[in-house]
Amino acid sequence: MNAITGSLRGLDLHAEIDRLRRERNAIILAHYYQAPELQDLADFIGDSLDLSRKAAATDAEVIAFCGVRFMAETAKILSPDKIVVLPDMDAGCSLEDSCPPDQFAAFRARHPDHIALTYINCSTEVKALSDIIVTSSSAETILSQIPKDQPIIFGPDKNLGGWLNRKFGRDMLLWPGVCIVHEAFSETELLKLRARHPGAPVLAHPECPPQILEHADHVGSTKAILDYALSSPSQTIIVATEPHIIHQMEKAAPGKTFIGAPGADGNCNCNMCPYMALNNVEKLYVALRDLQPRIEMDEELRLGAKKSLDRMLDMAGRTVGRGDVGRPVFAAA
Ligand code: 13P
Ligand code: SF4
């Protein structure tokens, strides 16, 4: 038993979280890759774009962000007057780690005629060095608004950038970052799984490498994958993204079978995001109780990053999409 768990023994954490959420006028936002228990506690669950929109639009005074650090930082950039807490400040992202701001600045300097279209999975510093931010659900809409002859740097995800290049016939210069979770899917094992379930569509996140994406029947953000899975007439569906999203699929379509795409050992559970997994109910309770760990940032840096995020919200549209799969905000306990 760790120190936090020991000191919280005997508390009804779900009831305590509900009490604190009301007392603090807090909203709990969660990404689809969070553990089911956290998803079920959230007021709003969404993909990166909808979570950004919700963070920008909420009237709550506190945002408790069940996701990774770049997502909580995005909430703070867009809602600077709110207290933003992240249950575990070590919840990073391999894509962010792959793109140190000084190296990204040097890369940009070597290509002065290029604009920087940058995936939201990056640090606040890299956002401030970028022209336009995209998420996996807004990248296509935004790229289609940029003239074909405009040279573009795309970072940090080479798989998402490569997929956009192939789909739209572009030749964006790609930063060589990857998501360690999506990189772990195995083409050989996916083909074996597909042979065992003929007709089952493969739904894949664009962070997957090309050898996985080429077998996908549908490529899209977490929310797009969820929507496709629910509207598909197929009863069995193969899901090539972080498997915690299957929780929402099973809740919304309990009669269907959802199978996580396998890694090299043929196991379907080897693709859990180790960063997302750092958050848990105990840490969420402590974050709401202590209003720590809190996201703080330099105001000049925030304003720099906000420019590229605002461009994303303007080009993608600011309306919050269908992500309210949790309880109504501030519901009675
Ligand atoms: P989405 O924007 O599709 O939710 O993706 C976030 C993410 O980190 C995927 O790995
Ligand atoms: Fe980052 Fe990949 Fe985890 Fe998403 S799943 S937060 S891209 S490491």
Side-chain angles (χ1 to χ4, degrees):
M1 185 186 306
N2 64 35
I4 293 183
T5 313
S7 68
L8 303 183
R9 232 177 351 173
L11 282 181
D12 177 344
L13 288 179
H14 287 235
E16 286 295 306
I17 286 170
D18 275 334
R19 177 180 66 77
L20 287 166
R21 141 167 49 207
R22 283 195 305 279
E23 282 179 15
R24 303 246 186 259
N25 188 13
I27 187 172
I28 301 174
L29 304 183
H31 189 264
Y32 294 116
Y33 294 168
Q34 288 289 271
E37 209 179 358
L38 288 172
Q39 292 189 35
D40 291 345
L41 277 164
D43 298 296
F44 183 87
I45 310 173
D47 66 5
S48 304
L49 181 63
D50 276 343
L51 288 167
S52 308
R53 288 166 165 158
K54 192 72 180 175
T58 183
D59 292 331
E61 290 166 73
V62 174
I63 298 173
F65 212 114
C66 296
V68 290
R69 201 174 48 239
F70 77 80
M71 296 177 176
E73 285 177 355
T74 299
K76 185 68 182 175
I77 294 165
L78 295 172
S79 277
D81 299 334
K82 311 210 183 307
I83 293 173
V84 179
V85 290
L86 177 65
D88 193 315
M89 208 46 100
D90 289 334
C93 171
S94 66
L95 282 167
E96 174 177 346
D97 292 347
S98 78
C99 193
D102 56 335
Q103 290 176 29
F104 187 71
F107 186 60
R108 281 221 69 176
R110 286 199 296 280
H111 304 284
D113 54 334
H114 287 57
I115 62 165
L117 191 64
T118 305
Y119 194 29
I120 197 166
N121 297 37
C122 64
S123 64
T124 301
E125 287 80 0
V126 167
K127 287 183 179 72
L129 289 165
S130 301
D131 296 298
I132 311 170
I133 299 300
V134 299
T135 64
S136 52
S137 58
S138 61
E140 295 174 70
T141 310
I142 290 173
L143 184 57
S144 65
Q145 295 170 54
I146 301 174
K148 272 238 167 168
D149 57 359
Q150 170 63 56
I152 302 173
I153 284 171
F154 187 91
D157 186 4
K158 70 172 188 184
N159 289 329
L160 172 59
W163 176 70
L164 290 166
N165 273 347
R166 294 192 296 282
K167 182 157 180 182
F168 290 96
R170 309 287 292 230
D171 62 350
M172 298 187 292
L173 271 184
L174 305 180
W175 183 269
V178 294
C179 161
I180 51 168
V181 173
H182 291 85
E183 274 288 298
F185 291 121
S186 155
E187 182 185 20
T188 310
E189 294 301 325
L190 178 63
L191 291 176
K192 283 191 212 161
L193 181 68
R194 209 178 182 177
R196 290 200 297 279
H197 300 281
V202 175
L203 315 186
H205 197 280
E207 288 174 16
C208 290
Q211 68 275 18
I212 298 295
L213 293 178
E214 78 179 66
H215 302 294
D217 298 281
H218 180 73
V219 177
S221 74
T222 49
K223 179 173 174 292
I225 288 176
L226 175 61
D227 289 348
Y228 190 102
L230 300 186
S231 61
S232 166
S234 302
Q235 290 306 301
T236 302
I237 289 167
I238 298 172
V239 181
T241 192
E242 214 272 4
H244 283 117
I245 194 174
I246 291 175
H247 179 57
Q248 291 304 325
M249 295 176 180
E250 288 175 340
K251 277 174 82 168
K256 291 188 181 181
T257 303
F258 302 101
I259 307 172
D265 62 356
N267 186 331
C268 299
N269 280 329
C270 55
N271 298 83
M272 293 191 187
C273 174
Y275 306 100
M276 292 273 181
L278 290 173
N279 294 325
N280 60 33
V281 174
E282 287 85 359
K283 291 178 193 173
L284 172 61
Y285 163 73
V286 171
L288 280 167
R289 184 191 68 189
D290 300 348
L291 297 181
Q292 294 287 350
R294 200 182 286 199
I295 303 286
E296 312 274 11
M297 69 184 61
D298 173 78
E299 182 62 5
E300 200 181 327
L301 175 65
R302 185 187 76 78
L303 290 173
K306 186 171 182 297
K307 271 194 210 151
S308 57
L309 274 169
D310 276 343
R311 282 200 195 101
M312 171 186 82
L313 292 174
D314 288 339
M315 293 173 87
R318 286 182 181 258
T319 317
V320 178
R322 188 195 69 84
D324 275 303
V325 291
R327 66 192 65 202
V329 177
F330 314 132

